[in-house]
Amino acid sequence: GLHTEGIFRVGSSKKRVQQLREEFDRGQDVFLDEHQSVHDVAALLKEFVRDLPEPLIPRELYGAFLSTARMEGPAQLETLQLLLLLLPPCHGDSLLRLLRLLARVAEHAQSSRDPRGHQIPGNKMTASNLATVFGPNILQKEKPGEKDAAALSFEDSAAIIVVLQRLIEHHHALFMVSPEMQCDVLRRLFQTDPDVIEYLLRRK
């Protein structure tokens, strides 16, 4: 699906998406192969992210993440990195995997040529386009279906796209804990709970 034009944006079969969703919900083994429509599978992933009981970025951090849209340069990325450290582990792990996928999709946005010179079509889904599609599903102010859930201001909508685009483009660096921070944490742990250090070093 990486070369499918408009992946995550082009419409899908609602009936087939619902059928796939029900198969997953029943715990069936669902095989996604070349016989499945790329757009149906993409729509199902969007639905899954949108309908999580708690969004990947918890609602209490919505305002903090949106405030980074007004920042620029290193300050913006440093603030995003610190905010990501506040995510519950399951949220952070899932968000990282989703961002990796979106970054991979964005890498194939432009048309290219194979070694023999044949043109490979691009999917036209840049990081900005993907942020437009996924942003409202990841950064939610209200629960879907609640009053005013869909009534985002223009400023909030624009900020959501900026923030998610930065997360897609810089996810490698943003989810990396710097050596300096690691050393600082280890020093503090050595003073308060040395047994944890031994466990972490064994695990590493």
Side-chain angles (χ1 to χ4, degrees):
L2 289 174
H3 301 289
T4 302
E5 185 174 331
I7 183 171
F8 293 120
R9 175 167 266 173
V10 170
S12 57
S13 161
K14 289 186 178 178
K15 182 178 177 184
R16 182 62 193 140
V17 171
Q18 184 62 31
Q19 184 181 340
L20 281 171
R21 182 171 181 153
E22 288 171 0
E23 289 172 6
F24 274 111
D25 286 344
R26 286 196 297 265
Q28 292 178 229
D29 290 328
V30 183
F31 297 100
L32 302 176
D33 55 25
E34 65 274 6
H35 301 297
Q36 306 285 348
S37 161
V38 170
H39 297 299
D40 291 348
V41 177
L44 182 64
L45 178 60
K46 279 193 300 185
E47 273 191 21
F48 173 79
V49 173
R50 182 195 68 203
D51 294 342
L52 288 169
E54 179 72 22
L56 286 177
I57 293 177
R59 290 184 183 90
E60 58 262 33
L61 294 175
Y62 174 87
F65 270 89
L66 250 62
S67 70
T68 65
R70 297 189 297 271
M71 301 177 180
E72 293 181 6
Q76 183 186 51
L77 297 182
E78 287 167 13
T79 305
L80 280 171
Q81 186 176 41
L82 291 172
L83 287 171
L84 289 169
L85 291 172
L86 297 176
L87 298 182
C90 59
H91 289 239
D93 290 347
S94 301
L95 179 60
L96 174 57
R97 280 159 178 75
L98 179 61
L99 293 172
R100 278 180 185 154
L101 170 66
L102 298 181
R104 192 167 173 217
V105 170
E107 286 170 6
H108 294 81
Q110 307 302 326
S111 298
S112 58
R113 294 192 178 276
D114 66 17
R116 290 179 291 182
H118 298 130
Q119 184 161 352
I120 302 171
N123 59 44
K124 296 188 169 30
M125 294 303 289
T126 61
S128 176
N129 288 340
L130 290 165
T132 302
V133 171
F134 271 90
N137 296 342
I138 293 172
L139 279 157
Q140 298 176 13
K141 191 173 186 178
E142 311 286 347
K143 289 183 180 179
E146 281 190 354
K147 186 184 176 185
D148 298 331
L152 281 176
S153 68
F154 174 78
E155 290 78 12
D156 274 16
S157 296
I160 286 171
I161 295 169
V162 168
V163 171
L164 197 63
Q165 184 175 344
R166 295 295 176 275
L167 291 175
I168 293 170
E169 292 171 341
H170 300 282
H171 70 278
H172 287 300
L174 291 173
F175 280 86
M176 186 74 66
V177 179
S178 70
E180 294 78 18
M181 188 178 287
Q182 287 185 45
C183 285
D184 189 40
V185 169
L186 287 173
R187 269 197 300 270
R188 289 167 190 262
L189 281 173
F190 184 73
Q191 296 167 359
T192 58
D193 202 346
D195 292 344
V196 173
I197 294 184
E198 190 179 335
Y199 165 75
L200 289 172
L201 291 174
R202 277 203 316 269
R203 189 165 176 240
K204 188 176 178 182

